[in-house]
Amino acid sequence: MYDGYLTDVGGLRLGHAQDMEGGCGLSIVLPDKGNTCGVDVRGGAPGSREIALLNPLNQVSEVNGLILSGGSAYGLEAGSVLMKLLEKDGLGFDVGVGIVPIVCQAVLFDLAYKNPHARPNEAMTEKAYKNASYEDKSQGIIGAGTGATVAKGLGADHLVKSGLGQASIRRGDLVVSAMVAVNALGDVFDYGKQIQLAGPMVDGKMLRTMDFIDKILASFKDVKPTNTTIGIVATNASFNKTELTKIAGMAHDGYARSINPVHTLMDGDTIFSLATNKIKADINLVGAMAADVMSMAIANAIYFSKK
């Protein structure tokens, strides 16, 4: 297991809520004012909200909330609920006649895990918002990771339970952290220890998807887009939206190190990048650390889901 949490950067509140019986949940990040945000989407089947807003060509660079959730596209309802909660608390982008809370979101497909009608709803969103804390240390089968599973190349009878993972790295005053809900088609590896953590299970034996995928899933034609790994990397360093887009892209190297196969047409892999803008740091260093810490958080999603 790896140390640290998303909130170690400071200036971020994190809250979760879930329906354990239904197998679905969400995680909400509430950054303090003065943040900047970017995003990079690599998977071929994403579900998201306000992603275009984070394009460096567009105006707004500060967000009021980020959501990672289950429920597939149905889970996007949580974004509208969070907007109302933030508006009530006076948090949002000033448009002259009022405020518009900026809420970005990525969803994963967990409808096939337990109850397909269990989705992040108003009550769940309100609970996660109320529970948000600067000291959150939640991992495993919680929040957006409640219905997450991995290693689905041989179908539901052979998959492995996954969940939500967090980790952080410090270099002097610099902190880079990550949180991720791992719901991948592929297998999961602990890159630091060079060991496989999850693969299709057959007769008690863990297999590697890439050893047989060409034989049973020609061109992936029989696999539905029922996967997706969604995450957030955060830092206390100062970066604009263009730089954060690059950092989010570099953080995807953490996906590639720890998930195989990854970024397929059946995955909606997305990473948000947040900066709280407190210290100066080199973008190359932070991007490299983001890849490392994301890989660590992915491993923790498996470790903590087995506890």
Side-chain angles (χ1 to χ4, degrees), residues 88 91 114 151 160 186 189 221 236 257 295:
K88 184 177 180 180
L91 299 171
K114 287 187 176 180
V160 177
F189 299 81
K221 65 180 180 180
N236 60 342
R257 293 169 185 170
S295 183

Side-chain angles (χ1 to χ4, degrees), residues 12-69:
L12 303 178
R13 288 185 292 145
L14 173 58
H16 315 273
Q18 53 281 321
D19 174 356
M20 297 301 291
E21 183 177 349
C24 188
L26 81 167
S27 301
I28 292 176
V29 178
L30 303 171
D32 288 351
K33 291 183 178 179
N35 70 82
T36 44
C37 188
V39 69
D40 190 296
V41 181
R42 297 288 176 93
S48 59
R49 172 194 175 97
E50 292 281 37
I51 293 294
L53 186 72
L54 298 180
N55 186 306
L57 296 177
N58 296 331
Q59 181 182 10
V60 175
S61 61
E62 180 175 340
V63 298
N64 302 109
L66 293 177
I67 304 176
L68 304 182
S69 81

Side-chain angles (χ1 to χ4, degrees), residues 49 67 76-85 103 105:
R49 172 194 175 97
I67 304 176
L76 294 172
E77 177 187 355
S80 297
V81 177
L82 182 56
M83 280 190 70
K84 294 176 181 178
L85 296 170
V103 176
Q105 182 177 0

Side-chain angles (χ1 to χ4, degrees), residues 109-125:
F109 185 97
D110 55 8
L111 301 182
Y113 175 55
K114 287 187 176 180
N115 181 357
H117 300 292
R119 302 151 187 177
N121 54 25
E122 184 173 357
M124 192 182 294
T125 308

Side-chain angles (χ1 to χ4, degrees), residues 14-287:
L14 173 58
H16 315 273
Q18 53 281 321
D19 174 356
M20 297 301 291
E21 183 177 349
C24 188
L26 81 167
S27 301
I28 292 176
V29 178
L30 303 171
D32 288 351
K33 291 183 178 179
N35 70 82
T36 44
C37 188
V39 69
D40 190 296
V41 181
R42 297 288 176 93
S48 59
R49 172 194 175 97
E50 292 281 37
I51 293 294
L53 186 72
L54 298 180
N55 186 306
L57 296 177
N58 296 331
Q59 181 182 10
V60 175
S61 61
E62 180 175 340
V63 298
N64 302 109
L66 293 177
I67 304 176
L68 304 182
S69 81
S72 188
Y74 292 107
L76 294 172
E77 177 187 355
S80 297
V81 177
L82 182 56
M83 280 190 70
K84 294 176 181 178
L85 296 170
L86 290 166
E87 181 187 24
K88 184 177 180 180
D89 287 342
L91 299 171
F93 182 72
D94 189 350
V95 293
V97 295
I99 59 171
V100 177
I102 305 301
V103 176
C104 302
Q105 182 177 0
V107 300
L108 56 79
F109 185 97
D110 55 8
L111 301 182
Y113 175 55
K114 287 187 176 180
N115 181 357
H117 300 292
R119 302 151 187 177
N121 54 25
E122 184 173 357
M124 192 182 294
T125 308
E126 290 178 347
K127 183 177 181 180
Y129 185 72
K130 181 179 179 180
N131 290 343
S133 164
Y134 289 109
E135 291 83 32
D136 180 85
K137 299 180 179 180
S138 305
Q139 299 193 73
I141 304 172
I142 191 170
T146 302
T149 54
V150 298
K152 288 171 269 193
L154 288 177
D157 292 338
H158 304 283
L159 56 73
V160 177
K161 187 68 185 82
S162 180
L164 188 80
Q166 300 191 53
S168 68
I169 302 174
R170 296 178 182 270
R171 294 284 181 88
D173 294 332
L174 174 64
V175 183
V176 181
S177 63
M179 179 178 74
V180 61
V182 186
N183 191 56
L185 167 71
D187 308 334
V188 177
F189 299 81
D190 183 328
Y191 178 76
K193 298 177 182 177
Q194 292 292 292
I195 57 173
Q196 184 177 3
L197 299 179
M201 299 299 296
V202 177
D203 297 329
K205 182 180 179 180
M206 184 185 300
L207 305 182
R208 291 202 177 199
T209 298
M210 292 304 294
D211 289 344
F212 56 80
I213 200 164
D214 58 324
K215 298 178 181 178
I216 67 170
L217 299 175
S219 301
F220 296 106
K221 65 180 180 180
D222 297 323
V223 182
K224 303 297 188 295
T226 57
N227 311 290
T228 293
T229 298
I230 49 178
I232 300 168
V233 291
T235 181
N236 60 342
S238 297
F239 295 106
N240 60 37
K241 187 162 57 169
T242 301
E243 293 167 326
L244 286 168
T245 300
K246 177 61 177 176
I247 290 170
M250 294 178 73
H252 271 284
D253 289 348
Y255 279 19
R257 293 169 185 170
S258 297
I259 302 170
N260 190 31
V262 72
H263 301 153
T264 73
L265 290 177
M266 282 63 65
D267 293 289
D269 303 327
T270 298
I271 297 178
F272 295 103
S273 53
L274 270 173
T276 60
N277 300 310
K278 300 301 182 183
I279 67 170
K280 297 293 183 182
D282 181 80
I283 185 173
N284 300 292
L285 172 61
V286 173

